[in-house]
Amino acid sequence: MASEKPTSNIILSNTKSRTKKISNGFNSFLNSKSITENPYNKIVLFSTFLLMLLGVYFLSVFYGDFEQLNLDKMSTTIGYSFIVLATTLMAFKVSFFIYKAYNYFKYKPIASVSDKELPTITVIVPAYNEGKQVWDTLMSLDNSNYPKEKIQIISIDDGSKDDTWDWMLDAKTKLGERLEIYQQPENQGKRHALYRGFNLGTGEIYVTVDSDSIVTEDTLRNLVSPFVKDENCGAVAGNIRVLNNKKAMLPKMLDVSFVLSFEFVRSAESNLNSVLCTPGALAAYKSTAVHECLPQWINQTFMGQPSDIGEDRAMTNMILKQGKHVLFQKNAVAFTNVPEEYMGLYKMFIRWGRSNVRENLEMAKYVFTNFRAKGKSGTRILFISQFLKILMSYPLLISMLFFVIVHPLLFIGSTLVTILVISTFSVLFFASQYKTTEGFWAYSYSILFTFGLFWITPYAIATANRRGWLTRGLEEKK
């Protein structure tokens, strides 16, 4: 019995020590300059954790109401059907996550091939109102560890209204024959600028890089190496990180989101040879595959209107339709600028959402045909997951609004706890990749997306036929 007291003291001491470590770690996190350089960041992070605690509290208080609500639903045909549907969808999402995780662990980026094996490439950089940023982009491309005799760099000013052309001229002065620059007679959109580049390019591989992106030294050689190793490779997606993530909150949130989207999701898709979208910020295409679909791509329409958005997703879709493999290279990195304010963010998401609707409808036309000799099932599963998100968009929105009306506090509690559980994976994944606490922004991002951007997909579906880039300074056309 005499030994019980020391043991209790040891347990108490260990508990206090762990509590102190957690407290110090949390304080260190909040006071980290890289995370909270902007003073508002600290407020947002602190509010995020308070909301999480509030969510746990609400769910614990109203859990009995939650069970009663389910029992009431079970007693009606509509309610029972809803629960069966929700359970089925949940089972599919869990199964799909496990499927993605399995393919993620099997994925390995292809190592760079030798200088002798590297193909000739044409790097195309369309630019619109980028100012000095396009100069930085072109300099980073010229600094690439790639044989100079095998690289052609083309930059096209898409009718900019600022000093973009002056910076391109300055880059031309410094790079000489290594850089070709052209001006569109007027602003025609990114797709037409790329089209001009595709027709001017002489490389075996076309690489597209956004004019607000910076590539690392080995990015280009890593990006095109899969074409050498896989003769059926038609396109490769690069790994996109956020460039302007030092101070503003939204870029910090998006950086965490991008890491999950590229390094987890696209890694899994790549193992299935079916990356669904090669990003405009950094992608590579086999020139023969591009020219096979180029007339269809430049003349693409949706509901009778010319398609002036989603050029990257459209090109990926058309190359997949050819039966080609579309891969992802984690070791080919580009840092790109993203919106720092809510308005720019939701406009970007609307554009992506509309493109997603259009290209899923296009994909539905061929994905269940014999479009590829083998490996079609993985592509079909990825498509089904994408299409379900669109199909269930309005039912989920209606059920969410119904839940808000019936029991708002229970809705807030259950939603915040769900965010806590799901976003923890993003936090842990980011930490495992980069050994930093920046991953905690996943919680803030999920709250913002759930409560502030939930309307994007339904709105994108309803307005899928609208034109306009939205975030390029062009007015939206109806």
Side-chain angles (χ1 to χ4, degrees), residues 344-394:
L345 181 67
Y346 82 68
K347 287 181 177 181
M348 181 178 75
F349 281 161
I350 288 172
R351 190 178 75 246
W352 289 356
R354 288 171 179 166
S355 173
N356 191 44
V357 172
R358 297 179 185 189
E359 294 307 321
N360 271 291
L361 291 174
E362 286 299 315
M363 196 172 184
K365 297 176 183 179
Y366 73 83
V367 73
F368 294 105
T369 67
N370 191 30
F371 70 97
R372 183 189 286 173
K374 58 181 180 179
K376 297 182 285 288
S377 58
T379 316
R380 291 167 179 167
I381 292 171
L382 294 174
F383 165 76
I384 290 169
S385 175
Q386 288 274 316
F387 202 80
L388 274 176
K389 291 178 183 177
I390 297 172
L391 194 65
M392 296 306 299
S393 176
Y394 282 101

Side-chain angles (χ1 to χ4, degrees), residues 241-252 335-340:
R241 296 292 305 278
V242 174
L243 181 63
N244 56 327
N245 68 337
K246 300 299 181 289
K247 294 183 180 180
M249 286 179 285
L250 289 182
K252 288 179 178 292
F335 293 85
T336 193
N337 284 313
V338 297
E340 296 185 1

Side-chain angles (χ1 to χ4, degrees), residues 79-96:
Y80 179 77
S81 300
F82 175 82
I83 289 177
V84 170
L85 179 61
T87 303
T88 303
L89 286 173
M90 180 60 70
F92 174 80
K93 286 181 74 69
V94 171
S95 300
F96 183 66

Side-chain angles (χ1 to χ4, degrees), residues 26 42-60 253 408-421 440 442-452:
F26 185 67
K42 185 181 294 187
I43 297 172
V44 171
L45 287 168
F46 187 69
S47 299
T48 296
F49 287 107
L50 280 182
L51 282 172
M52 294 294 183
L53 291 174
L54 186 66
V56 173
Y57 172 73
F58 279 167
L59 186 60
S60 64
M253 296 179 193
L409 295 182
L410 179 57
F411 167 77
I412 292 171
S414 58
T415 302
L416 287 172
V417 169
T418 302
I419 287 172
L420 176 63
V421 173
F440 279 101
Y443 294 121
S444 302
Y445 176 74
S446 294
I447 291 174
L448 170 66
F449 193 90
T450 302
F451 293 98

Side-chain angles (χ1 to χ4, degrees), residues 2-41:
S3 63
E4 288 184 7
K5 189 172 181 180
T7 302
S8 300
N9 289 338
I10 291 171
I11 294 172
L12 182 61
S13 176
N14 289 341
T15 302
K16 286 180 177 179
S17 177
R18 284 196 296 269
T19 304
K20 188 175 181 180
K21 282 183 180 179
I22 293 171
S23 177
N24 290 339
F26 185 67
N27 287 332
S28 175
F29 165 70
L30 285 179
N31 291 308
S32 170
K33 186 177 179 181
S34 64
I35 294 208
T36 60
E37 194 167 338
N38 186 320
Y40 292 107
N41 292 359

Side-chain angles (χ1 to χ4, degrees), residues 84-254:
V84 170
L85 179 61
T87 303
T88 303
L89 286 173
M90 180 60 70
F92 174 80
K93 286 181 74 69
V94 171
S95 300
F96 183 66
F97 174 79
I98 295 171
Y99 181 68
K100 282 195 298 186
Y102 169 77
N103 281 283
Y104 162 76
F105 284 112
K106 288 191 68 178
Y107 165 80
K108 287 183 180 179
I110 294 171
S112 172
V113 298
S114 66
D115 285 4
K116 184 179 179 180
E117 294 175 288
L118 286 171
T120 57
I121 64 172
T122 296
V123 184
I124 306 166
V125 183
Y128 179 73
N129 290 348
E130 285 297 347
K132 184 180 181 296
Q133 184 62 59
V134 67
W135 186 91
D136 294 333
T137 299
L138 295 172
M139 291 301 112
S140 74
L141 289 168
D142 186 65
N143 290 331
S144 295
N145 179 18
Y146 206 94
K148 298 298 182 185
E149 69 278 7
K150 289 188 174 185
I151 181 171
Q152 173 192 28
I153 303 176
I154 297 175
S155 188
I156 299 169
D157 178 14
D158 186 27
S160 297
K161 298 177 177 66
D162 63 357
D163 60 351
T164 295
W165 180 246
D166 294 331
W167 284 107
M168 288 170 62
L169 286 170
D170 186 75
K172 173 67 175 175
T173 301
K174 289 179 171 56
L175 303 185
E177 294 182 355
R178 298 196 300 277
L179 172 65
E180 300 174 28
I181 59 174
Y182 302 90
Q183 264 187 315
Q184 298 284 71
E186 61 181 3
N187 178 252
Q188 296 176 291
K190 184 179 178 182
R191 189 178 295 230
H192 284 271
L194 288 172
Y195 179 73
R196 186 174 181 180
F198 289 144
N199 283 303
L200 291 168
T202 59
E204 300 168 77
I205 306 297
Y206 296 143
V207 176
T208 61
V209 179
D210 279 351
S211 54
D212 59 354
S213 302
I214 303 296
V215 300
T216 62
E217 190 178 65
D218 291 326
T219 288
L220 294 182
R221 64 185 305 125
N222 289 335
L223 185 69
V224 303
S225 290
F227 294 100
V228 179
K229 295 294 185 180
D230 181 356
E231 62 179 17
N232 200 36
C233 178
V236 177
N239 187 8
I240 309 303
R241 296 292 305 278
V242 174
L243 181 63
N244 56 327
N245 68 337
K246 300 299 181 289
K247 294 183 180 180
M249 286 179 285
L250 289 182
K252 288 179 178 292
M253 296 179 193
L254 287 171

Side-chain angles (χ1 to χ4, degrees), residues 253-426:
M253 296 179 193
L254 287 171
D255 193 34
V256 178
S257 174
F258 279 17
V259 167
L260 186 70
S261 176
F262 284 89
E263 299 186 21
F264 179 72
V265 175
R266 280 176 174 80
S267 291
E269 292 177 349
S270 186
N271 194 58
L272 298 168
N273 299 318
S274 301
V275 173
L276 298 184
C277 183
T278 52
L282 179 66
Y285 308 98
K286 183 175 287 188
S287 60
T288 53
V290 169
H291 285 286
E292 186 172 329
C293 63
L294 198 56
Q296 179 188 356
W297 180 77
I298 193 61
N299 295 308
Q300 186 182 31
T301 61
F302 182 79
M303 296 181 68
Q305 295 289 327
S307 293
D308 54 3
I309 60 172
E311 71 294 325
D312 47 3
R313 179 75 193 274
M315 180 63 75
T316 309
N317 218 358
M318 292 177 185
I319 290 176
L320 277 171
K321 187 179 180 180
Q322 295 174 24
K324 302 291 186 184
H325 295 166
V326 180
L327 307 177
F328 166 68
Q329 278 289 80
K330 180 182 175 181
N331 54 8
V333 182
F335 293 85
T336 193
N337 284 313
V338 297
E340 296 185 1
E341 297 180 356
Y342 177 78
M343 184 176 292
L345 181 67
Y346 82 68
K347 287 181 177 181
M348 181 178 75
F349 281 161
I350 288 172
R351 190 178 75 246
W352 289 356
R354 288 171 179 166
S355 173
N356 191 44
V357 172
R358 297 179 185 189
E359 294 307 321
N360 271 291
L361 291 174
E362 286 299 315
M363 196 172 184
K365 297 176 183 179
Y366 73 83
V367 73
F368 294 105
T369 67
N370 191 30
F371 70 97
R372 183 189 286 173
K374 58 181 180 179
K376 297 182 285 288
S377 58
T379 316
R380 291 167 179 167
I381 292 171
L382 294 174
F383 165 76
I384 290 169
S385 175
Q386 288 274 316
F387 202 80
L388 274 176
K389 291 178 183 177
I390 297 172
L391 194 65
M392 296 306 299
S393 176
Y394 282 101
L396 289 175
L397 178 62
I398 293 168
S399 64
M400 183 189 79
L401 295 175
F402 175 78
F403 199 179
V404 170
I405 294 169
V406 171
H407 206 316
L409 295 182
L410 179 57
F411 167 77
I412 292 171
S414 58
T415 302
L416 287 172
V417 169
T418 302
I419 287 172
L420 176 63
V421 173
I422 294 176
S423 296
T424 296
F425 174 76
S426 297

